[in-house]
Amino acid sequence: MIGSGSWGTTFGKILADGGAQVVMWARRPELAHEIAEAKRNSQYLPGINLPRSMTATPHLSEAIDGATQIYLSIPSQTARENLKALRALVAHSDVPIVSLMKGVEKRTGLRMSQVIEQELQCDPDRIAVASGPNLALEIAREQPTAAVISSMSLETAEDVARRARNRYFRSFVNTDVIGTEFGGVLKNLIAVAIGIVDGVGYGENTKASIITRGLVEMTDFAVAQGAHPETLQGLAGLGDLIATCQSPLSRNNTAGRLLGQGYRFDDVVKQMNQTAEGLASVAPILQLAKQAGVSMPIVEQVKRVLDGTMNPREIAPHLTTDDDTPQGERTEYGQAGSGGALRRAVERTLDQFRHGGRRAPGDRS
Protein backbone atom coordinates (compact mmCIF):
# COMPACT_ATOMS: atom_id res chain seq x y z
CA MET A 1 0.00 0.00 0.00
CA ILE A 2 1.61 3.22 -1.21
CA GLY A 3 0.29 5.92 1.10
CA SER A 4 -0.71 5.77 4.77
CA GLY A 5 -3.41 8.41 5.13
CA SER A 6 -6.90 7.57 6.35
CA TRP A 7 -8.08 5.80 3.18
CA GLY A 8 -4.83 3.99 2.44
CA THR A 9 -4.62 2.69 6.01
CA THR A 10 -8.28 1.70 5.99
CA PHE A 11 -7.93 -0.20 2.73
CA GLY A 12 -4.82 -1.87 4.10
CA LYS A 13 -6.96 -3.01 7.02
CA ILE A 14 -9.61 -4.31 4.60
CA LEU A 15 -6.99 -6.41 2.82
CA ALA A 16 -5.42 -7.65 6.05
CA ASP A 17 -8.80 -8.59 7.52
CA GLY A 18 -9.40 -10.56 4.33
CA GLY A 19 -6.26 -12.62 4.92
CA ALA A 20 -3.53 -10.64 3.14
CA GLN A 21 -0.11 -9.73 4.47
CA VAL A 22 -0.01 -5.94 4.01
CA VAL A 23 3.02 -3.67 3.93
CA MET A 24 2.26 0.05 4.12
CA TRP A 25 4.59 2.70 2.75
CA ALA A 26 4.63 5.86 4.87
CA ARG A 27 6.71 8.88 3.90
CA ARG A 28 7.33 9.79 7.56
CA PRO A 29 9.42 7.23 9.50
CA GLU A 30 7.57 7.96 12.75
CA LEU A 31 4.24 7.04 11.14
CA ALA A 32 5.70 3.86 9.68
CA HIS A 33 7.02 2.96 13.13
CA GLU A 34 3.64 3.57 14.79
CA ILE A 35 1.82 1.37 12.27
CA ALA A 36 4.42 -1.39 12.42
CA GLU A 37 4.92 -1.47 16.21
CA ALA A 38 1.81 -0.03 17.87
CA LYS A 39 -0.63 -1.14 15.14
CA ARG A 40 -2.11 2.34 15.19
CA ASN A 41 -2.37 5.37 12.92
CA SER A 42 -3.36 7.92 15.52
CA GLN A 43 -3.26 10.94 13.22
CA TYR A 44 -5.57 9.62 10.50
CA LEU A 45 -7.54 6.81 12.22
CA PRO A 46 -7.67 7.64 15.94
CA GLY A 47 -8.94 4.84 18.15
CA ILE A 48 -8.60 2.11 15.50
CA ASN A 49 -6.53 -1.01 16.19
CA LEU A 50 -4.84 -2.35 13.06
CA PRO A 51 -4.41 -6.07 12.31
CA ARG A 52 -1.19 -7.85 13.25
CA SER A 53 -0.71 -8.75 9.57
CA MET A 54 -0.16 -5.07 8.74
CA THR A 55 3.29 -3.57 8.92
CA ALA A 56 4.89 -0.43 7.49
CA THR A 57 8.15 1.02 6.20
CA PRO A 58 9.40 4.45 5.05
CA HIS A 59 11.36 2.74 2.25
CA LEU A 60 9.46 2.37 -1.02
CA SER A 61 11.55 -0.56 -2.26
CA GLU A 62 10.85 -2.52 0.94
CA ALA A 63 7.14 -1.84 0.70
CA ILE A 64 6.75 -3.45 -2.73
CA ASP A 65 9.34 -6.20 -2.42
CA GLY A 66 7.55 -9.46 -3.21
CA ALA A 67 4.14 -7.78 -3.59
CA THR A 68 1.47 -9.63 -5.56
CA GLN A 69 -0.72 -6.51 -5.75
CA ILE A 70 0.21 -2.83 -5.39
CA TYR A 71 -2.31 -0.26 -4.16
CA LEU A 72 -1.91 3.50 -4.59
CA SER A 73 -3.49 5.89 -2.08
CA ILE A 74 -1.77 9.23 -2.57
CA PRO A 75 -3.15 12.72 -3.37
CA SER A 76 -4.03 13.01 -7.05
CA GLN A 77 -2.12 16.26 -7.53
CA THR A 78 1.16 14.69 -6.33
CA ALA A 79 0.57 11.28 -7.90
CA ARG A 80 2.87 11.80 -10.87
CA GLU A 81 5.98 12.60 -8.83
CA ASN A 82 5.36 9.62 -6.53
CA LEU A 83 4.88 7.34 -9.53
CA LYS A 84 8.19 8.45 -11.02
CA ALA A 85 9.92 7.06 -7.94
CA LEU A 86 7.97 3.81 -8.30
CA ARG A 87 8.60 3.24 -12.03
CA ALA A 88 11.97 1.48 -11.85
CA LEU A 89 10.78 -0.72 -8.98
CA VAL A 90 7.88 -2.20 -11.00
CA ALA A 91 9.48 -2.14 -14.45
CA HIS A 92 9.86 -5.93 -14.61
CA SER A 93 6.67 -6.78 -12.74
CA ASP A 94 3.25 -7.77 -14.04
CA VAL A 95 1.28 -7.49 -10.77
CA PRO A 96 -1.97 -5.47 -10.68
CA ILE A 97 -1.67 -1.78 -9.87
CA VAL A 98 -4.79 -0.59 -8.03
CA SER A 99 -5.73 3.09 -7.77
CA LEU A 100 -7.62 4.21 -4.68
CA MET A 101 -7.34 7.86 -5.78
CA LYS A 102 -10.34 10.01 -6.65
CA GLY A 103 -9.29 13.04 -8.64
CA VAL A 104 -8.15 14.32 -12.01
CA GLU A 105 -4.79 15.90 -12.63
CA LYS A 106 -5.24 19.66 -12.55
CA ARG A 107 -2.69 20.44 -15.26
CA THR A 108 -3.76 17.80 -17.79
CA GLY A 109 -7.30 16.77 -16.83
CA LEU A 110 -6.19 13.12 -16.95
CA ARG A 111 -7.81 10.46 -14.81
CA MET A 112 -5.56 8.70 -12.31
CA SER A 113 -5.44 5.44 -14.29
CA GLN A 114 -4.16 7.44 -17.27
CA VAL A 115 -1.46 9.08 -15.14
CA ILE A 116 -0.48 5.64 -13.79
CA GLU A 117 -0.25 4.22 -17.31
CA GLN A 118 1.91 7.14 -18.46
CA GLU A 119 4.29 7.23 -15.52
CA LEU A 120 4.69 3.50 -14.89
CA GLN A 121 4.64 2.72 -18.62
CA CYS A 122 2.61 -0.40 -17.96
CA ASP A 123 -0.09 -2.35 -19.75
CA PRO A 124 -3.48 -0.73 -18.94
CA ASP A 125 -4.89 -4.22 -18.41
CA ARG A 126 -2.77 -4.36 -15.23
CA ILE A 127 -4.45 -1.24 -13.83
CA ALA A 128 -7.57 -1.37 -11.67
CA VAL A 129 -9.47 1.33 -9.80
CA ALA A 130 -11.56 0.98 -6.64
CA SER A 131 -14.49 3.25 -5.85
CA GLY A 132 -17.76 3.36 -3.96
CA PRO A 133 -19.47 4.69 -0.82
CA ASN A 134 -16.33 4.32 1.25
CA LEU A 135 -15.95 6.73 4.17
CA ALA A 136 -12.70 5.61 5.74
CA LEU A 137 -13.50 5.87 9.45
CA GLU A 138 -16.79 3.97 9.12
CA ILE A 139 -15.06 1.11 7.31
CA ALA A 140 -12.18 1.15 9.78
CA ARG A 141 -14.84 0.60 12.44
CA GLU A 142 -15.93 -2.42 10.38
CA GLN A 143 -19.33 -1.07 9.40
CA PRO A 144 -20.53 -3.09 6.37
CA THR A 145 -20.17 -1.54 2.92
CA ALA A 146 -19.35 -2.34 -0.70
CA ALA A 147 -17.15 -1.07 -3.50
CA VAL A 148 -16.64 -1.67 -7.19
CA ILE A 149 -13.30 -2.73 -8.71
CA SER A 150 -12.95 -1.70 -12.33
CA SER A 151 -10.35 -2.62 -14.94
CA MET A 152 -10.21 -2.86 -18.71
CA SER A 153 -9.33 -6.49 -17.98
CA LEU A 154 -12.14 -8.35 -16.23
CA GLU A 155 -9.54 -10.88 -15.06
CA THR A 156 -7.60 -8.12 -13.28
CA ALA A 157 -10.77 -6.70 -11.72
CA GLU A 158 -11.81 -10.12 -10.43
CA ASP A 159 -8.31 -10.85 -9.11
CA VAL A 160 -8.33 -7.64 -7.08
CA ALA A 161 -11.96 -8.08 -5.96
CA ARG A 162 -11.21 -11.55 -4.58
CA ARG A 163 -8.51 -10.04 -2.40
CA ALA A 164 -10.40 -6.86 -1.42
CA ARG A 165 -13.22 -8.46 0.51
CA ASN A 166 -13.92 -9.71 4.02
CA ARG A 167 -16.84 -10.12 6.42
CA TYR A 168 -17.68 -6.37 6.37
CA PHE A 169 -16.47 -5.35 2.89
CA ARG A 170 -17.74 -6.67 -0.45
CA SER A 171 -16.25 -5.86 -3.87
CA PHE A 172 -18.18 -5.96 -7.15
CA VAL A 173 -16.56 -5.66 -10.60
CA ASN A 174 -17.01 -3.91 -13.93
CA THR A 175 -14.88 -2.94 -16.94
CA ASP A 176 -16.04 0.69 -17.18
CA VAL A 177 -12.91 2.38 -15.86
CA ILE A 178 -13.97 5.77 -17.24
CA GLY A 179 -17.33 5.74 -15.46
CA THR A 180 -15.92 4.34 -12.23
CA GLU A 181 -13.17 6.96 -12.02
CA PHE A 182 -15.30 9.92 -13.02
CA GLY A 183 -18.01 8.85 -10.57
CA GLY A 184 -15.44 9.07 -7.78
CA VAL A 185 -14.30 12.49 -8.97
CA LEU A 186 -17.63 14.10 -9.77
CA LYS A 187 -19.40 13.16 -6.54
CA ASN A 188 -16.75 15.19 -4.69
CA LEU A 189 -17.80 18.32 -6.57
CA ILE A 190 -21.46 17.82 -5.71
CA ALA A 191 -20.47 17.12 -2.09
CA VAL A 192 -18.73 20.50 -1.96
CA ALA A 193 -22.00 22.10 -3.15
CA ILE A 194 -23.93 20.21 -0.46
CA GLY A 195 -21.44 21.38 2.15
CA ILE A 196 -21.84 24.98 1.00
CA VAL A 197 -25.64 24.99 1.36
CA ASP A 198 -25.33 23.14 4.66
CA GLY A 199 -22.94 25.81 5.91
CA VAL A 200 -25.33 28.52 4.78
CA GLY A 201 -28.12 26.85 6.75
CA TYR A 202 -30.40 25.56 3.98
CA GLY A 203 -32.37 22.39 4.68
CA GLU A 204 -33.06 18.94 3.30
CA ASN A 205 -35.16 20.02 0.31
CA THR A 206 -32.28 22.09 -1.05
CA LYS A 207 -29.77 19.32 -0.49
CA ALA A 208 -32.02 16.66 -2.05
CA SER A 209 -32.50 18.85 -5.12
CA ILE A 210 -28.77 19.38 -5.53
CA ILE A 211 -28.00 15.68 -5.08
CA THR A 212 -30.62 14.69 -7.67
CA ARG A 213 -29.68 17.28 -10.27
CA GLY A 214 -26.03 16.70 -9.44
CA LEU A 215 -26.40 13.06 -10.46
CA VAL A 216 -27.74 14.28 -13.81
CA GLU A 217 -24.65 16.45 -14.29
CA MET A 218 -22.38 13.57 -13.27
CA THR A 219 -24.03 11.17 -15.70
CA ASP A 220 -24.12 13.56 -18.66
CA PHE A 221 -20.46 14.40 -18.17
CA ALA A 222 -19.26 10.82 -17.70
CA VAL A 223 -21.23 9.45 -20.66
CA ALA A 224 -19.85 12.23 -22.85
CA GLN A 225 -16.37 11.01 -21.89
CA GLY A 226 -17.22 7.42 -22.89
CA ALA A 227 -18.66 5.97 -19.67
CA HIS A 228 -21.69 3.70 -19.41
CA PRO A 229 -24.68 5.48 -17.78
CA GLU A 230 -25.47 2.50 -15.55
CA THR A 231 -22.09 2.90 -13.84
CA LEU A 232 -23.20 6.28 -12.54
CA GLN A 233 -26.34 4.69 -11.10
CA GLY A 234 -24.20 2.18 -9.19
CA LEU A 235 -21.76 2.14 -6.29
CA ALA A 236 -19.17 4.40 -7.94
CA GLY A 237 -21.79 7.03 -8.81
CA LEU A 238 -25.03 7.22 -6.85
CA GLY A 239 -23.72 5.14 -3.94
CA ASP A 240 -20.64 7.27 -3.42
CA LEU A 241 -22.65 10.46 -4.00
CA ILE A 242 -25.11 9.65 -1.20
CA ALA A 243 -22.40 8.72 1.29
CA THR A 244 -20.20 11.73 0.54
CA CYS A 245 -23.01 14.27 0.54
CA GLN A 246 -24.72 13.18 3.74
CA SER A 247 -21.77 12.50 6.02
CA PRO A 248 -19.82 14.99 8.17
CA LEU A 249 -16.90 12.55 7.78
CA SER A 250 -16.57 13.62 4.13
CA ARG A 251 -13.63 15.95 3.56
CA ASN A 252 -15.29 17.56 0.54
CA ASN A 253 -18.53 18.09 2.45
CA THR A 254 -16.52 19.66 5.29
CA ALA A 255 -14.64 21.95 2.90
CA GLY A 256 -17.92 23.09 1.36
CA ARG A 257 -19.46 23.70 4.77
CA LEU A 258 -16.56 25.98 5.71
CA LEU A 259 -17.05 27.89 2.45
CA GLY A 260 -20.76 28.22 3.21
CA GLN A 261 -19.93 29.61 6.63
CA GLY A 262 -17.96 32.41 5.00
CA TYR A 263 -14.38 31.15 5.08
CA ARG A 264 -12.26 32.07 2.08
CA PHE A 265 -10.78 29.33 -0.11
CA ASP A 266 -7.23 29.78 1.24
CA ASP A 267 -8.49 29.58 4.82
CA VAL A 268 -10.40 26.39 4.06
CA VAL A 269 -7.28 24.75 2.65
CA LYS A 270 -5.33 25.72 5.77
CA GLN A 271 -7.97 24.30 8.10
CA MET A 272 -8.16 20.95 6.30
CA ASN A 273 -5.44 18.61 7.57
CA GLN A 274 -6.32 16.14 4.80
CA THR A 275 -6.80 16.54 1.06
CA ALA A 276 -10.25 17.49 -0.24
CA GLU A 277 -9.87 16.29 -3.83
CA GLY A 278 -12.99 18.09 -5.03
CA LEU A 279 -11.44 21.53 -4.56
CA ALA A 280 -8.63 20.77 -7.02
CA SER A 281 -10.87 18.98 -9.53
CA VAL A 282 -13.44 21.71 -10.18
CA ALA A 283 -11.47 23.66 -12.81
CA PRO A 284 -10.19 20.70 -14.89
CA ILE A 285 -13.64 19.05 -14.86
CA LEU A 286 -15.29 22.23 -16.12
CA GLN A 287 -12.67 22.49 -18.85
CA LEU A 288 -13.37 18.91 -19.96
CA ALA A 289 -17.12 19.61 -19.82
CA LYS A 290 -16.70 22.67 -22.04
CA GLN A 291 -14.71 20.64 -24.57
CA ALA A 292 -17.44 17.97 -24.61
CA GLY A 293 -20.32 20.45 -24.80
CA VAL A 294 -21.80 19.37 -21.46
CA SER A 295 -23.58 21.82 -19.16
CA MET A 296 -22.70 21.54 -15.45
CA PRO A 297 -24.47 24.47 -13.75
CA ILE A 298 -24.06 23.20 -10.18
CA VAL A 299 -20.32 22.68 -10.59
CA GLU A 300 -20.04 26.08 -12.27
CA GLN A 301 -21.70 27.66 -9.22
CA VAL A 302 -19.24 25.85 -6.93
CA LYS A 303 -16.35 27.33 -8.92
CA ARG A 304 -17.77 30.82 -8.54
CA VAL A 305 -18.00 30.35 -4.77
CA LEU A 306 -14.40 29.07 -4.72
CA ASP A 307 -13.31 32.07 -6.78
CA GLY A 308 -15.10 34.46 -4.43
CA THR A 309 -17.36 35.82 -7.19
CA MET A 310 -20.60 34.36 -5.74
CA ASN A 311 -22.12 34.67 -2.30
CA PRO A 312 -22.58 31.11 -0.97
CA ARG A 313 -26.22 31.93 -0.12
CA GLU A 314 -26.92 32.41 -3.83
CA ILE A 315 -25.92 28.90 -4.92
CA ALA A 316 -29.30 27.25 -4.26
CA PRO A 317 -31.45 29.35 -6.65
CA HIS A 318 -29.10 28.32 -9.47
CA LEU A 319 -29.61 24.56 -9.14
CA THR A 320 -30.01 23.96 -12.86
CA THR A 321 -29.92 27.05 -15.05
CA ASP A 322 -30.27 30.82 -15.20
CA ASP A 323 -32.56 30.38 -18.20
CA ASP A 324 -36.27 30.82 -17.39
CA THR A 325 -37.28 28.35 -20.13
CA PRO A 326 -38.82 25.23 -18.53
CA GLN A 327 -36.66 22.17 -19.03
CA GLY A 328 -37.33 18.46 -19.04
CA GLU A 329 -36.13 16.59 -15.99
CA ARG A 330 -34.51 13.69 -17.83
CA THR A 331 -30.76 13.52 -18.15
CA GLU A 332 -29.28 14.27 -21.56
CA TYR A 333 -28.10 10.70 -22.11
CA GLY A 334 -31.77 9.69 -22.34
CA GLN A 335 -32.60 12.29 -24.97
CA ALA A 336 -31.18 11.24 -28.31
CA GLY A 337 -32.59 14.25 -30.10
CA SER A 338 -31.32 16.83 -27.62
CA GLY A 339 -27.70 16.84 -28.65
CA GLY A 340 -26.88 15.00 -25.42
CA ALA A 341 -24.50 12.24 -24.50
CA LEU A 342 -26.54 9.43 -26.09
CA ARG A 343 -26.14 11.03 -29.50
CA ARG A 344 -22.38 11.23 -28.93
CA ALA A 345 -22.31 7.57 -27.86
CA VAL A 346 -24.18 6.59 -31.04
CA GLU A 347 -21.73 8.61 -33.11
CA ARG A 348 -18.79 6.78 -31.50
CA THR A 349 -20.42 3.44 -32.30
CA LEU A 350 -20.91 4.47 -35.93
CA ASP A 351 -17.27 5.55 -36.09
CA GLN A 352 -16.24 2.09 -34.86
CA PHE A 353 -18.26 0.49 -37.66
CA ARG A 354 -16.58 2.77 -40.17
CA HIS A 355 -13.21 1.59 -38.85
CA GLY A 356 -14.07 -2.08 -39.23
CA GLY A 357 -15.32 -2.60 -35.66
CA ARG A 358 -12.24 -1.01 -34.12
CA ARG A 359 -12.22 2.11 -32.02
CA ALA A 360 -11.86 5.32 -33.97
CA PRO A 361 -8.45 6.97 -33.65
CA GLY A 362 -8.09 8.55 -30.22
CA ASP A 363 -11.26 6.88 -28.86
CA ARG A 364 -10.46 4.82 -25.76
CA SER A 365 -13.95 4.46 -24.39
Side-chain angles (χ1 to χ4, degrees):
M1 178 68 66
I2 309 303
S4 298
S6 58
W7 184 222
T9 306
T10 295
F11 213 91
K13 183 179 186 301
I14 290 168
L15 297 165
D17 285 341
Q21 295 291 320
V22 178
V23 182
M24 309 288 299
W25 174 74
R27 184 184 300 276
R28 292 183 289 115
E30 62 273 21
L31 177 55
H33 183 267
E34 183 186 28
I35 293 172
E37 299 300 326
K39 305 302 180 187
R40 290 286 187 116
N41 186 336
S42 55
Q43 179 179 354
Y44 293 110
L45 290 178
I48 300 298
N49 294 318
L50 302 176
R52 292 183 178 275
S53 54
M54 284 181 69
T55 187
T57 175
H59 305 294
L60 193 57
S61 59
E62 289 182 8
I64 65 169
D65 183 33
T68 56
Q69 293 181 357
I70 298 172
Y71 292 77
L72 304 174
S73 183
I74 47 183
S76 62
Q77 303 310 316
T78 59
R80 195 176 289 272
E81 61 187 75
N82 282 284
L83 290 169
K84 288 183 190 299
L86 187 63
R87 183 191 301 166
L89 299 174
V90 300
H92 304 293
S93 170
D94 60 357
V95 304
I97 308 290
V98 187
S99 170
L100 305 179
M101 302 175 283
K102 295 182 178 180
V104 294
E105 192 172 43
K106 194 171 184 178
R107 180 176 59 85
T108 64
L110 293 177
R111 292 174 284 111
M112 290 297 99
S113 66
Q114 294 172 305
V115 175
I116 292 168
E117 182 182 350
Q118 280 189 359
E119 288 301 326
L120 297 187
Q121 299 175 359
C122 64
D123 184 345
D125 281 354
R126 285 177 55 197
I127 301 171
V129 300
S131 195
N134 302 145
L135 296 165
L137 189 57
E138 288 188 2
I139 301 175
R141 290 171 176 164
E142 301 185 6
Q143 297 180 14
T145 191
V148 61
I149 308 297
S150 182
S151 175
M152 292 174 62
S153 163
L154 183 59
E155 181 181 356
T156 297
E158 291 176 342
D159 186 25
V160 174
R162 276 191 290 269
R163 178 57 69 189
R165 63 189 304 168
N166 57 43
R167 60 183 175 80
Y168 58 86
F169 192 88
R170 170 78 183 274
S171 291
F172 294 82
V173 297
N174 72 37
T175 56
D176 182 13
V177 176
I178 296 173
T180 300
E181 284 194 289
F182 274 131
V185 174
L186 297 166
K187 59 86 186 181
N188 285 334
L189 312 190
I190 306 304
V192 173
I194 291 296
I196 291 171
V197 301
D198 203 22
V200 165
Y202 292 145
E204 301 308 315
N205 292 336
T206 305
K207 288 185 277 188
S209 299
I210 290 176
I211 290 172
T212 306
R213 296 307 302 171
L215 182 61
V216 172
E217 290 189 21
M218 290 170 58
T219 305
D220 284 344
F221 176 93
V223 173
Q225 302 297 324
H228 302 303
E230 57 267 25
T231 303
L232 278 297
Q233 316 305 313
L235 290 166
L238 179 60
D240 203 1
L241 178 65
I242 293 171
T244 308
C245 287
Q246 74 176 5
S247 175
L249 296 175
S250 162
R251 288 169 282 185
N252 293 282
N253 185 300
T254 300
R257 192 160 56 250
L258 291 170
L259 289 165
Q261 290 169 354
Y263 288 90
R264 296 177 62 85
F265 175 76
D266 291 343
D267 296 327
V268 171
V269 173
K270 290 176 183 177
Q271 288 209 34
M272 301 287 293
N273 68 346
Q274 297 187 60
T275 304
E277 295 282 15
L279 301 181
S281 298
V282 170
I285 287 294
L286 284 176
Q287 180 61 33
L288 289 172
K290 181 179 179 181
Q291 293 170 0
V294 175
S295 175
M296 302 190 78
I298 296 174
V299 180
E300 288 169 0
Q301 299 296 328
V302 169
K303 185 177 188 302
R304 290 179 61 187
V305 172
L306 290 174
D307 292 343
T309 60
M310 171 177 275
N311 186 319
R313 295 193 65 85
E314 296 178 0
I315 193 172
H318 303 281
L319 289 174
T320 55
T321 180
D322 289 329
D323 187 350
D324 288 335
T325 305
Q327 294 184 339
E329 186 184 26
R330 286 186 303 167
T331 175
E332 284 188 27
Y333 77 79
Q335 300 180 24
S338 69
L342 179 60
R343 176 177 57 77
R344 289 186 285 271
V346 171
E347 289 174 351
R348 283 195 300 272
T349 302
L350 291 174
D351 283 340
Q352 290 183 30
F353 278 118
R354 294 188 191 105
H355 288 83
R358 300 183 304 276
R359 290 188 177 94
D363 185 2
R364 300 196 59 187
S365 64

